[in-house]
Amino acid sequence: PDELAGCIDSAYEDKKFGGEHAPLSKLDDLAYLLELWHGPTCAFKDMALQLLPHLMSTSIQKTGLDKEIVILVATSGDTGKAALEGFKDVKGTKILVFYPQNGVSDIQKLQMCTQEGQNVYVCAIQGNFDDAQSAVKAMFTDETVKQALKAKNQMFSSANSINWGRLVPQIVYYIWAYCDMLKNSEIKPGEAINIVVPTGNFGNILAAYYARKMGLPVHKLICASNSNNVLTDFINTGVYDRNRDFYVTMSPSMDILISSNLERLIFDLSGGDDALVNRYMNSLKETGRYEVSASIREKMGQVFVGGWADEAKTSQTIKEIFDTYSYLCDPHTAVAVAVYEQYKRASGDSTKTVIASTASPYKFADHVLASIDPAQKRTGFAAIDALEVLSKTSAPAPLKNLREKPVRFEKAVDKGQMVQAVLEIL
């Protein structure tokens, strides 16, 4: 307990999270936004990736491991920067981040490419997030890479949500939100809530599912997707099919067609039938699709609801939230709100609902600005400045301060050259 408390105190210092770690903003009598972006990189990933390096370094000391840990990361935008910030200059580690060159916002790219630290490396790939994630997973078992690591007394680990250490801290903030609602007399003890999560890799909503399994009173988990709506179709039909068009959207953290953490949910819903899960995953690898059993689909339908919002609906929702509540939200949060509104109209469900707000709107200032005022076509820092004036709010300091930082990383490789890039970096 003392070791864990030490890790937590170091990770969640007020100076990193501005004193308000995960506040609830009430939209109306039913909907509450759980703001998870008050950390040093302005995204919900900070909640896990500020803690994970402390857990990892403590574990290394306890086990007596004498190898250097190489953190290998694929990112659709937010994970990369949060992991870089968490692991910068952490003794005994290196961190390598790959991101899709045209699949992140300008601010996200700048956050990564200006990253400080002597043990950090960033590289763009000519491909999408699924390409990066698949290559990263493959490298963990690539014999050439394993031998290169062994020769340098190194070993791989991950900061993606395939690492269980990413999911554990995320369970906490859903329980925290429930406690906040109790404290503010918004709900009664034991009263069930809904939770809405905008997600592509299924990690954040899986954390909410585990919170429910641990006893948190949850009525429905609402999975919100953008135009890459493979999860919506899966929840509604039981068929997972990634053989479809891939869209680059204004909500890049959901631009994913291979949702890694779904494997964990299916394992749980199947009663731990690893052979069955293995068949599904092999089918996904070989054919791009699989269909779960009627039993799994029924269990999933008892808890999960799937919905999606296209670009036009996302933009419309950003404007409606600002016009109605004078509240700025980022595109991912807007997708979640849009899907929640769809669900509420279709179901008539009046359950109090927590909506995960996953990133600062200023990370996507150009899209947020254009949604609220279509006449404004600014990008980068010009968009941030204009959004501050329009909304009478201030951009977070970590984003505003990027203006002064020199770009350190400009390397880009083809998706097929990632192994070579890793070997060169190591």
Side-chain angles (χ1 to χ4, degrees):
D2 290 343
E3 288 170 328
L4 187 58
C7 291
I8 291 166
D9 290 342
S10 299
Y12 301 121
E13 292 175 320
D14 284 351
K15 68 179 182 181
K16 292 181 181 177
F17 285 84
E20 280 198 296
H21 298 69
L24 276 175
S25 286
K26 186 174 180 177
L27 278 189
D28 56 34
D29 288 340
L30 295 182
Y32 306 76
L33 292 177
L34 177 60
E35 296 180 357
L36 299 169
W37 41 263
H38 290 272
T41 78
C42 308
F44 82 97
K45 310 291 176 77
D46 288 326
M47 287 293 178
L49 287 169
Q50 284 298 307
L51 180 60
L52 183 60
H54 295 283
L55 297 178
M56 200 172 282
S57 58
T58 303
S59 301
I60 290 169
Q61 291 170 12
K62 286 179 75 75
T63 58
L65 191 71
D66 64 351
K67 293 184 178 182
E68 183 177 54
I69 307 296
V70 178
I71 312 295
L72 197 57
V73 179
T75 185
S76 53
D78 286 336
T79 293
K81 172 59 180 178
L84 289 163
E85 190 66 27
F87 280 95
K88 74 174 180 184
D89 293 329
V90 171
K91 188 178 178 182
T93 69
K94 279 190 173 77
I95 177 164
L96 286 58
V97 170
F98 291 92
Y99 70 93
Q101 190 165 30
N102 298 313
V104 300
S105 77
D106 291 343
I107 294 296
Q108 286 175 311
K109 185 181 296 186
L110 199 56
Q111 281 187 296
M112 289 185 282
C113 293
T114 59
Q115 177 64 48
E116 299 164 346
Q118 297 305 305
N119 64 334
V120 304
Y121 305 88
V122 180
C123 183
I125 70 155
Q126 287 138 16
N128 60 39
F129 171 75
D130 287 331
D131 296 325
Q133 179 170 247
S134 296
V136 162
K137 286 182 179 177
M139 271 187 262
F140 276 81
T141 54
D142 184 297
E143 282 303 321
T144 302
V145 179
K146 284 168 75 173
Q147 289 305 314
L149 287 169
K150 186 176 180 181
K152 290 180 171 291
N153 198 34
Q154 296 170 323
M155 63 176 286
F156 273 147
S157 188
S158 174
N160 283 95
S161 56
I162 55 175
N163 190 327
W164 176 244
R166 265 282 303 278
L167 290 180
V168 172
Q170 294 176 203
I171 296 170
V172 175
Y173 50 64
Y174 294 112
I175 298 171
W176 173 267
Y178 191 88
C179 292
D180 259 5
M181 293 177 77
L182 278 176
K183 185 175 70 175
N184 297 331
S185 301
E186 301 287 351
I187 54 174
K188 297 175 182 175
E191 182 179 343
I193 61 171
N194 294 328
I195 296 173
V196 189
V197 185
T199 184
N201 226 359
F202 207 74
N204 201 2
I205 197 166
L206 185 67
Y209 174 77
Y210 288 136
R212 184 180 186 273
K213 284 202 74 176
M214 292 169 67
L216 189 69
V218 175
H219 175 51
K220 291 291 183 183
L221 293 172
I222 302 167
C223 179
S225 302
N226 61 17
S227 297
N228 296 294
N229 57 355
V230 64
L231 285 170
T232 304
D233 290 347
F234 174 68
I235 290 168
N236 292 336
T237 67
V239 176
Y240 193 96
D241 190 348
R242 66 173 175 85
N243 301 306
R244 59 181 69 207
D245 291 336
F246 179 90
Y247 298 99
V248 176
T249 74
M250 69 174 82
S251 47
S253 292
M254 294 187 283
D255 290 349
I256 296 170
L257 293 180
I258 304 174
S259 304
S260 293
N261 288 286
L262 209 52
E263 183 175 350
R264 287 182 166 127
L265 176 70
I266 296 168
F267 178 76
D268 191 72
L269 295 178
S270 69
D273 189 340
D274 57 325
L276 177 66
V277 175
N278 199 34
R279 287 201 299 274
Y280 291 154
M281 295 304 113
N282 282 334
S283 178
L284 178 65
K285 188 175 181 179
E286 292 162 9
T287 70
R289 75 186 298 278
Y290 61 88
E291 182 173 2
V292 296
S293 66
S295 171
I296 291 175
R297 183 183 169 191
E298 181 184 358
K299 289 177 184 175
M300 183 166 59
Q302 290 171 2
V303 181
F304 288 91
V305 174
W308 68 285
D310 62 14
E311 292 290 87
K313 186 62 179 176
T314 304
S315 189
Q316 177 189 335
T317 304
I318 291 171
K319 179 170 174 54
E320 287 175 352
I321 291 172
F322 182 73
D323 289 347
T324 306
Y325 305 107
S326 298
Y327 187 93
L328 279 184
C329 76
D330 88 296
H332 304 79
T333 306
V335 167
V337 172
V339 170
Y340 167 65
E341 294 294 342
Q342 293 167 14
Y343 165 74
K344 195 167 59 170
R345 284 194 298 271
S347 65
D349 186 358
S350 59
T351 303
K352 298 283 182 75
T353 299
V354 169
I355 301 169
S357 179
T358 55
S360 165
Y362 283 97
K363 293 190 86 165
F364 310 93
D366 49 352
H367 291 296
V368 174
L369 179 65
S371 297
I372 295 171
D373 183 0
Q376 302 219 37
K377 305 295 184 187
R378 306 185 193 204
T379 60
F381 292 110
I384 287 178
D385 294 340
L387 194 57
E388 285 186 315
V389 172
L390 180 66
S391 66
K392 297 181 176 62
T393 63
S394 296
L399 301 182
K400 294 177 78 167
N401 294 343
L402 288 173
R403 293 178 207 253
E404 317 300 329
K405 291 194 172 185
V407 172
R408 295 183 61 200
F409 303 101
E410 299 181 272
K411 186 179 179 69
V413 300
D414 184 77
K415 62 185 180 183
Q417 298 176 312
M418 285 175 61
V419 170
Q420 182 183 340
V422 167
L423 294 176
E424 287 175 0
I425 291 168
L426 292 181

